[in-house]
Amino acid sequence: MTKQIRQLDRVVIRFAGDSGDGMQLTGDRFTSETAQLGNDISTLPNFPAEIRAPAGTLPGVSSFQVHFADYDILTPGDAPNVLVAMNPAALKANLTDLPRGADIIVNTDEFTKRNLAKVGYQTNPLEDDSLAGYVVHPVALTSMTIGALATHEVSKKDAERAKNMFALGLLSWMYSRPYESTLRFLERKFAARPELVAANVAAFKAGWNFGETTEDFAVRYEVKPAKMQPGTYRNITGNMALSLGLVAAGVRSGLPVFLGAYPITPASDILHELSKHKRFGVLTMQAEDEIAAVGAALGASYGGALGVTTTSGPGVALKSETISLAVALELPLVIVDVQRAGPSTGMPTKTEQADLNMALYGRHGEAPVAVIAPKSPADCFHAALEAARIALTYRTPVILLSDNYVANGSEPWLLPDVESLPDLRVEFATQANGEDGTTFLPYLRDPETLARPWAIPGTPGLEHRIGGLEKADKTGDISYDPANHDFMVRTRAARIETIPVPDVEVEDPDGDARVLVLGWGSTYGPIGAACRGLRQRGHSIAQAHLRHLAPMPANLGEVLRAYDRVVIPEMNLGQLAHVIRAKYLVDAIGYNQVRGLPFTANELETTLEEVLKNV
């Protein structure tokens, strides 16, 4: 049967099912196949915090959304064009996100009376016309997979588990994805059990062949590669990019990298990844708790390494005393905070931007640190390098504020030329620096950076005091002198405030916009997509984005005062907006949501359009 092939410029697909249905794996493999074709990609994994929530229930639904296109895209998409629902719970949890006319592929085998009752369906939605506004494709995924594997030497349970590969094969056929890499992946994943390799490959091919032969899917789709800067790309998540950035920082500085970490969602993947890179001088330690982790990292910095600790919001609270100690010691330390929904344990697998106040102010005493936030998964690589550069150059703790959306989302990453990466080499103190030629002054500062010397313990003649008690200027002796304390507090603050950071850039194509949208961190994509949509409809609007939150760019005040209105969308209750109002006396308008989900471009576009009407 000859099937029609239709060209599309973009598609949003969401795979949804139970936590045990393999939706994250399915989405990841589809994304990898799509990356090989050269499409631009943005993904949004969404899964419950429980290791295994009750099967067939709404709290147990796990989903993976992938947006791919033949042009540059900025978000995982607002509304799926296709929903693959493995059970009634997956359908009900995601149906409200679908636009009318969307395709729904449902696993009919799971629409039993028991499963329908679990999620409150009184009647079967596949039979009561409640889905009349959608294009529904009923597919008996489970039974067809079991049938396809009838001759394979696997248990019924293992055969049922392969239904996600059947679904992946079907979607790969529908959207003309290559599949060779998936077959190689299955060979590696189940290398110890050849029968599972054969079964999963067979399930995948059965799904592909079903799409080819069934009359229910009369159209096959193609999305051409995007026009991208020439080079070698790989699909990368934020946590992976951040990990590689820290490895690169170690190589470019010539220092060993020490990671002290305690496992916590959603930062644990950084520990997992860095543990693989011992050959690059990376040493990882899984500590017994958050305090031990940061203490070990600071100790490593004292010993001449690049000390790093990774965590999420609850862990930053526990680490705050040691971060204050690092401020007093004036040693480099990188603290990675992959933000999640709080307070307390909150919603561990959901995203939020609510740790900004804690990063800026969450320590006792006057303890300023540098704060950086990556804007996208790929940007995590460069943000990690920048955090290491500031920490090493200015002898200061640096907090890197990622979040769950950036950490687990993915996009194409252009592999950089290693020689183009910044030179982070450090000169350790090796000899006395006092006027008499024999004395070492541990707090004698570099006049440009205000950084003190970094002396590795055990260096002959460079013995000096260490600890959290206030130090005397230059000598480092313990001091309770009021004037000295005032001087040291102001000097530590000046060291942060005078760090040169790039000016904030403004995207204002027409040059006559009266409204500026200011963002930070992961809001970059939704804000950019919303502004792009408004401009396409004839509106003039400007966008600026902050990577450096402490210190802020020197030109930021001038930029803010150049516009009649400043709007700051944040996944918190207005933390950056409060800082902007206090620091620059600009009456910024906050747009705030704390739902555990990223903004959609459509909601921002609607909100910004209302602001434009009232300027």
Side-chain angles (χ1 to χ4, degrees), residues 60-263:
V61 174
S62 174
S63 69
F64 189 106
Q65 182 164 305
V66 54
H67 181 193
F68 57 103
D70 63 5
Y71 60 90
D72 174 45
I73 56 176
L74 299 172
T75 74
D78 289 356
N81 306 111
V82 181
L83 171 67
V84 179
M86 303 298 278
N87 59 22
L91 176 65
K92 190 166 189 177
N94 293 281
L95 188 61
T96 55
D97 293 338
L98 299 184
R100 291 289 172 173
D103 286 287
I104 304 176
I105 299 172
V106 290
N107 180 13
T108 55
D109 290 324
E110 294 296 320
F111 279 70
T112 63
K113 288 184 178 181
R114 184 169 180 267
N115 286 345
L116 291 168
K118 280 184 182 180
V119 293
Y121 277 126
Q122 301 300 316
T123 58
N124 190 337
L126 305 181
E127 301 171 353
D128 62 7
D129 293 330
S130 61
L131 301 179
Y134 307 96
V135 180
V136 180
H137 304 275
V139 181
L141 287 173
T142 304
S143 57
M144 291 179 70
T145 302
I146 293 173
L149 303 184
T151 59
H152 288 257
E153 296 180 358
V154 293
S155 66
K156 183 180 179 182
K157 186 175 183 180
D158 284 334
E160 288 179 355
R161 285 176 175 170
K163 63 181 179 291
N164 64 325
M165 287 297 107
F166 188 104
L168 178 59
L170 173 58
L171 269 293
S172 298
W173 174 86
M174 283 181 64
Y175 291 96
S176 308
R177 305 293 94 182
Y179 58 79
E180 291 77 13
S181 66
T182 292
L183 301 186
R184 290 194 297 269
F185 167 81
L186 292 172
E187 291 174 358
R188 294 193 305 271
K189 181 176 176 63
F190 300 111
R193 296 187 62 184
E195 73 278 10
L196 291 184
V197 174
N200 279 276
V201 168
F204 179 92
K205 290 182 177 180
W208 179 284
N209 293 334
F210 177 74
E212 185 75 49
T213 57
T214 183
E215 295 183 4
D216 193 34
F217 296 97
V219 179
R220 192 179 188 189
Y221 302 96
E222 288 184 353
V223 180
K224 292 182 178 180
K227 294 180 180 179
M228 304 172 76
Q229 180 181 344
T232 302
Y233 287 82
R234 61 166 291 181
N235 184 51
I236 200 164
T237 65
N239 275 344
M240 174 67 79
L242 201 153
S243 300
L244 297 181
L246 291 172
V247 173
V251 172
R252 297 297 289 173
S253 65
L255 301 178
V257 174
F258 177 89
L259 173 67
Y262 181 74

Side-chain angles (χ1 to χ4, degrees), residues 39 50 69 75 83 88 127 133 139 159 168 187 250 269 275 339 344 419 424 426 448 525 542 552 564-565 580-581 601:
N39 297 126
E50 292 80 10
T75 74
L83 171 67
E127 301 171 353
V139 181
L168 178 59
E187 291 174 358
D269 285 342
S275 68
Q339 300 166 95
S344 188
E419 296 306 316
L424 303 181
V426 174
E448 291 186 7
M552 289 185 170
D564 296 336
R565 293 284 187 276
I580 294 298
R581 290 179 186 132

Side-chain angles (χ1 to χ4, degrees), residues 10 25 42 76 81 144 162 216 229 247 256 269 286 301 324 329 335 344 360 397 468 521 534 540 586:
R10 58 179 288 273
L25 174 63
S42 182
N81 306 111
M144 291 179 70
D216 193 34
Q229 180 181 344
V247 173
D269 285 342
Q286 180 175 318
S301 287
S324 294
L329 298 180
I335 304 101
S344 188
L360 294 174
L534 288 167
S540 185
V586 170

Side-chain angles (χ1 to χ4, degrees), residues 327 359-360 363 365-370 396-397 489 492-497 550:
V327 172
L360 294 174
R363 291 161 296 284
E366 293 288 346
V369 301
T396 178
V489 166
R492 287 189 289 262
R495 192 176 81 255
I496 301 300
E497 285 300 320

Side-chain angles (χ1 to χ4, degrees), residues 531-543:
C531 290
R532 180 185 291 177
L534 288 167
R535 291 180 191 128
Q536 290 173 348
R537 294 196 287 119
H539 295 287
S540 185
I541 192 166
Q543 177 187 3

Side-chain angles (χ1 to χ4, degrees), residues 289-327:
D289 55 43
E290 296 281 5
I291 299 172
V294 69
L298 182 56
S301 287
Y302 176 57
L306 172 57
V308 181
T309 189
T310 53
T311 189
S312 192
V316 179
L318 292 167
K319 296 178 190 288
S320 62
E321 182 178 3
T322 305
I323 298 172
S324 294
L325 175 60
V327 172

